[in-house]
Amino acid sequence: KDEGTGLGLSVVQSVIQGHNGTITVSSQVGTGTTFYAYLPIPDETTSASKALVRPTWTKARILFVDDEADLAQVCKELLEQQGHEVVSKTDSREALKIFQNEANGFDLIVTDYLMPHLDGGEFIRRVKTIRADIPVILITGLHTQINAHKASQMGFEGYLAKPRFSQDLGGVVQKILSRAQN
């Protein structure tokens, strides 16, 4: 408790690997631990630079809700790199107020399940009473209690498992947005 969940490094690793980079670690008892992140520096003539060309994505305005501030920030940046406009909140009550005021201004919601005040289930129940057609993706570390099928039964259109969800986030967002447009 109060020490984090260890998701920060996992998210960083996913981002680094997603850009064809690597992370190494050096640890010495009594001295500490150092992580080294290496990213390729592409130039316009290499195939690496061609690999970094982003696909065409459906652009959306997304409400991202997770009580872990570092994770919320990293995911916000990942989604913004795909061209989405992202409103990121760490308090589900505050996110609900924003949604109440701007319900038609959002195309998608991504929310954590375990949060103080309003958990993801209660949050989405309240959101769906305001706007039943808003697609919502659930992210959770409760793999043994909540799976994709149960998330679907709870009203979520998408499901991603922590801690390694960030590498799949953009693809799932695009899939749900594409489905919502049809």
Side-chain angles (χ1 to χ4, degrees), residues 40-44 46 48-50 52:
I41 302 174
D43 64 35
E44 294 184 24
T46 66
S49 66
K50 293 175 186 159
L52 293 176

Side-chain angles (χ1 to χ4, degrees), residues 1-7 68:
K1 184 176 176 177
D2 299 329
E3 291 187 26
T5 59
L7 293 175
E68 190 173 332

Side-chain angles (χ1 to χ4, degrees), residues 130-155:
I130 298 165
R131 186 173 152 211
D133 69 326
I134 185 81
V136 184
I137 298 171
L138 174 68
I139 53 174
T140 185
L142 300 173
H143 320 190
T144 58
Q145 294 133 357
I146 301 175
N147 58 26
H149 178 71
K150 183 162 183 176
S152 176
Q153 289 177 327
M154 295 168 66

Side-chain angles (χ1 to χ4, degrees), residues 35 40 58 64 70-71 77 100-101 123-124 129 140 153 169:
F35 293 90
T58 299
F64 190 95
D70 292 342
L71 185 65
E77 291 171 8
Q100 287 170 331
N101 293 328
F123 173 72
I124 194 58
T129 63
T140 185
Q153 289 177 327
L169 180 61

Side-chain angles (χ1 to χ4, degrees), residues 25-159:
V25 62
S26 171
S27 185
Q28 192 171 24
V29 177
T31 303
T33 302
T34 304
F35 293 90
Y36 299 92
Y38 298 95
L39 292 167
I41 302 174
D43 64 35
E44 294 184 24
T45 61
T46 66
S47 61
S49 66
K50 293 175 186 159
L52 293 176
V53 173
R54 291 185 185 92
T56 302
W57 299 95
T58 299
K59 307 297 186 235
R61 186 160 189 249
I62 299 170
L63 178 58
F64 190 95
V65 187
D66 194 306
D67 60 318
E68 190 173 332
D70 292 342
L71 185 65
Q73 183 61 35
V74 168
C75 291
K76 179 182 190 298
E77 291 171 8
L78 284 171
L79 292 169
E80 286 176 342
Q81 287 175 1
Q82 294 178 347
H84 301 296
E85 179 185 341
V86 181
V87 175
S88 178
K89 294 295 169 190
T90 57
D91 185 320
S92 53
R93 296 171 302 180
E94 186 180 337
L96 183 61
K97 285 179 187 173
I98 288 171
F99 188 76
Q100 287 170 331
N101 293 328
E102 304 177 47
N104 291 323
F106 289 100
D107 302 299
L108 175 74
I109 297 174
V110 180
T111 184
D112 187 15
Y113 188 80
L114 267 183
M115 294 184 289
H117 312 298
L118 293 176
D119 69 25
E122 180 61 19
F123 173 72
I124 194 58
R125 188 189 66 71
R126 292 185 188 189
V127 159
K128 294 281 187 168
T129 63
I130 298 165
R131 186 173 152 211
D133 69 326
I134 185 81
V136 184
I137 298 171
L138 174 68
I139 53 174
T140 185
L142 300 173
H143 320 190
T144 58
Q145 294 133 357
I146 301 175
N147 58 26
H149 178 71
K150 183 162 183 176
S152 176
Q153 289 177 327
M154 295 168 66
F156 294 95
E157 285 75 18
Y159 168 85

